[in-house]
Amino acid sequence: KLTVRDLLQAKGKRKLVLTTAFDAWTARAAEAAGVDMILAWGSNLEHSKWVVDTVRSGAPNTLIGSGLPSTGAYSSEAEALRLAGELRSAGTDIIYCSGLVPEKFAALARQKYPCAGHVGYLPVQNTWFGGPRAVGKTWDEAVQVYNDTVALHKAGCIAVEMECVPARVAAEITKRVNILTFSMGSGPDCDGQFLFSSDLLGTNMGHYPRHSITYTRMLDSAT
């Protein structure tokens, strides 16, 4: 099982691989394939704890990240700490949150919670972006993505998911920061590649993003 220290030492040496899992079968397959980190979450805290426990049963030797539930996580540092503690007790290795401000990440980092933030396009703030789109095509936006990454690093985050950032911008930021960058549609030059298992396995019932890579279509084989 990799440790957070192992992840940090991989920067610049090899590419990390991340995917999602919400059941033991998918988690077992991800671990067998050599995935470095699995993200698992539910609709609320209790559901997330159940999902993490289920995923852990399928992938006992893989790092698991889980997001703080949006309800409560943004209200106060104390509540964010409580939720993080619950998730760690359930078996979460890395606390992941989209849209949490650096100040609350700093409170978690002071208590030695390994945390991963989110920059570029943030689905939780979809309406402010005018819908899903690339973020960083203009000079101002590219600088903002860089500044957001630096702010999360200063707050104590070990990594950021970089979503829908132009590849050249993501590559340049990755070179300039010590924090790990995980590409979600942000090109091949980040420290890691993150793809949803539903896209990888062809079980996505909705829109396949342009950056997704589908290796098999399990829904087709099941019919």
Side-chain angles (χ1 to χ4, degrees):
K1 180 181 177 180
L2 292 178
T3 65
V4 169
R5 180 180 175 85
D6 295 326
L7 286 185
L8 295 173
Q9 291 182 336
K11 186 176 178 74
K13 298 177 182 176
R14 73 173 182 90
K15 298 295 182 182
L16 299 166
V17 179
L18 297 78
T19 192
T20 57
F22 305 98
D23 55 68
W25 183 92
T26 307
R28 190 176 302 113
E31 182 164 289
V35 167
D36 295 300
M37 180 174 161
I38 296 171
L39 268 69
W41 67 89
S43 57
N44 53 47
L45 177 61
E46 292 306 312
H47 186 208
S48 290
K49 289 162 65 176
W50 181 86
V51 171
V52 168
D53 184 64
T54 300
V55 168
R56 175 62 72 204
S57 70
N61 299 306
T62 302
L63 278 169
I64 295 177
S66 188
L68 294 178
S70 57
T71 303
Y74 305 101
S75 61
S76 68
E77 291 183 2
E79 183 63 5
L81 283 166
R82 185 188 73 80
L83 293 170
E86 294 262 7
L87 287 174
R88 183 156 69 177
S89 296
T92 296
D93 298 299
I94 295 176
I95 301 299
Y96 178 94
C97 200
S98 177
L100 197 66
V101 296
E103 291 78 8
K104 288 194 174 69
F105 273 123
L108 294 170
R110 284 195 297 270
Q111 295 298 320
K112 302 301 181 183
Y113 287 97
C115 296
H118 197 156
V119 298
Y121 170 68
L122 276 62
V124 295
Q125 297 175 3
N126 178 63
T127 190
W128 291 100
F129 291 101
R133 66 175 179 86
V135 178
K137 287 186 173 182
T138 67
W139 171 261
D140 288 343
E141 283 194 348
V143 170
Q144 187 61 56
V145 174
Y146 172 72
N147 289 338
D148 289 344
T149 303
V150 170
L152 289 169
H153 188 195
K154 288 182 177 179
C157 286
I158 65 162
V160 293
E161 176 188 332
M162 196 168 282
E163 183 164 353
C164 295
V165 174
R168 291 179 62 185
V169 174
E172 188 62 32
I173 292 174
T174 298
K175 290 190 296 184
R176 289 172 176 264
V177 298
N178 292 326
I179 197 171
L180 292 166
T181 61
F182 299 144
S183 172
M184 172 67 81
S186 298
D189 297 315
C190 291
D191 298 306
Q193 291 293 317
F194 176 27
L195 289 170
F196 277 44
S197 59
S198 56
D199 293 340
L200 293 171
L201 300 175
T203 58
N204 185 345
M205 299 294 288
H207 170 68
Y208 280 87
R210 286 187 299 173
H211 59 261
S212 68
I213 301 173
T214 301
Y215 290 93
T216 185
R217 291 196 175 274
M218 296 189 67
L219 286 180
D220 293 343
S221 63
T223 58

